[in-house]
Amino acid sequence: MKTVSTARAHGGTQGVYTHESTATGTTMTFSVFVPPLKEGQRAPVLWYLSGLTCTHANVTDKGEFRAACAEHGIAFIAPDTSPRGDGVPDDPDGAWDFGLGAGFYVDATEAPFAKHYRMRSYVEEELPALIAAEFPMLDGARQSITGHSMGGHGALTIGLRNPDRFRSISAFAPIVAPSQVPWGQKALGGYLGPDRSAWRAADAVAMIEDGARVKELLIDQGDADAFLTEQLRPELLAKVCADAGIDCTLRMQPGYDHSYYFISTFLADHVRWHAERLK
């Protein structure tokens, strides 16, 4: 691991780091905020997965999470959204909703993406192992996860796959059922191939239909989000959770869109919500 930068913030340290990933075969960048800690104290971890076109930098620069994380003693980790670099394939038409910046937190099985686009393994296995080795002040026994849009999809699916690892799961404007919306159909088809049965393990609604269970979810969604009705469809998650007995709190926030103005307004609230479950 190499340190790109560190800065003092709210009594803690905001750092940006790189490393050579075996999962993706590329250099990956991520950020970690370590809150102020007393000697011998270890901080629980909140993972944040970003959305389409984003890197670690969007939430790191605009998320407004550090004050709340410092107050509650929570570390905040933000990975990138896809592999990058020479030789990493992109959308053949140059579109922004697939390829670079749009890894969808799956392990691709289709050429030419299978070699590098292994974001599920990266987020679930490789990066947590690196964090455990390099940040001994963080408590791997207490972890939660959240994310935005494509990253909300990632937080839901990774959280549902690992209910014993993550004590709580939340999301901002998540793509809850990628198999049923254009963004997800393009991505899952491109990365995983045409067999839709293979998509179900990368679709939160389908996973719950197939038996995945957690105690509760917190979802914030702006009602002025331009992608609400075509791409996000939170009502599908609310229904499947009701059917499965999962306590899903879906908060429709009046007047808010899909941007970081929305996320930054409510991210500290999510930090506090996770803090209660990370005690």
Side-chain angles (χ1 to χ4, degrees):
M1 186 183 78
K2 296 181 180 178
T3 300
V4 176
S5 66
T6 59
R8 194 76 168 158
H10 294 278
T13 301
Q14 178 64 65
V16 177
Y17 309 92
T18 64
H19 73 113
E20 299 306 311
S21 168
T22 56
T24 68
T26 65
T27 302
M28 296 294 289
T29 304
F30 62 97
S31 73
V32 181
F33 175 70
V34 178
L37 298 171
K38 297 177 182 177
E39 186 175 354
Q41 182 183 3
R42 301 180 75 206
V45 173
L46 178 59
W47 292 84
Y48 178 95
L49 304 183
S50 296
L52 292 164
T53 75
C54 291
T55 70
H56 72 283
N58 298 74
V59 70
T60 305
D61 294 347
K62 298 185 287 188
E64 299 183 26
F65 57 87
R66 277 172 286 267
C69 284
E71 177 184 354
H72 295 283
I74 293 176
F76 191 98
I77 302 175
D80 201 350
T81 54
S82 80
R84 301 177 192 273
D86 294 340
V88 177
D90 197 3
D91 186 287
D93 299 321
W96 55 269
D97 57 358
F98 185 78
L100 297 180
F104 262 82
Y105 305 100
V106 299
D107 283 355
T109 58
E110 297 298 295
F113 303 100
K115 179 179 179 180
H116 296 293
Y117 283 81
R118 299 185 54 80
M119 291 302 296
R120 172 179 170 176
S121 292
Y122 179 72
V123 171
E124 285 191 349
E125 299 169 14
E126 184 177 17
L127 186 55
L130 180 68
I131 294 293
E134 297 285 351
F135 294 87
M137 76 292 289
L138 304 189
D139 185 358
R142 293 183 292 159
Q143 299 185 59
S144 293
I145 191 166
T146 188
H148 169 232
S149 192
M150 178 187 71
H153 142 76
L156 291 171
T157 55
I158 290 171
L160 286 165
R161 273 196 298 272
N162 299 278
D164 295 332
R165 178 187 299 184
F166 298 105
R167 294 193 181 184
S168 50
I169 307 166
S170 72
F172 297 86
I175 305 170
V176 304
S179 300
Q180 301 185 50
V181 301
W183 277 344
Q185 290 164 351
K186 177 179 179 179
L188 299 184
Y191 293 134
L192 304 179
D195 180 2
R196 285 178 172 252
S197 66
W199 300 4
R200 295 188 68 81
D203 181 309
V205 167
M207 291 173 70
I208 294 170
E209 289 175 346
D210 292 344
R213 295 291 184 268
V214 292
K215 179 182 178 181
E216 60 185 338
L217 300 170
L218 172 63
I219 309 296
D220 270 315
Q221 172 65 62
D223 71 0
D225 190 321
F227 305 113
L228 175 59
T229 57
E230 183 180 21
Q231 305 283 10
L232 306 178
R233 305 188 64 188
E235 71 280 358
L236 298 177
L237 181 66
K239 182 182 185 304
V240 76
C241 284
D243 293 343
I246 296 172
D247 180 7
C248 179
T249 299
L250 172 58
R251 306 192 301 193
M252 298 300 298
Q253 302 293 358
Y256 285 91
D257 61 15
H258 201 68
S259 72
Y260 267 87
Y261 296 112
F262 161 58
I263 298 164
S264 65
T265 300
F266 298 103
L267 186 48
D269 193 30
H270 281 232
V271 170
R272 288 187 286 268
W273 185 82
H274 288 290
E276 288 297 313
R277 290 146 181 85
L278 287 166
K279 289 180 177 178

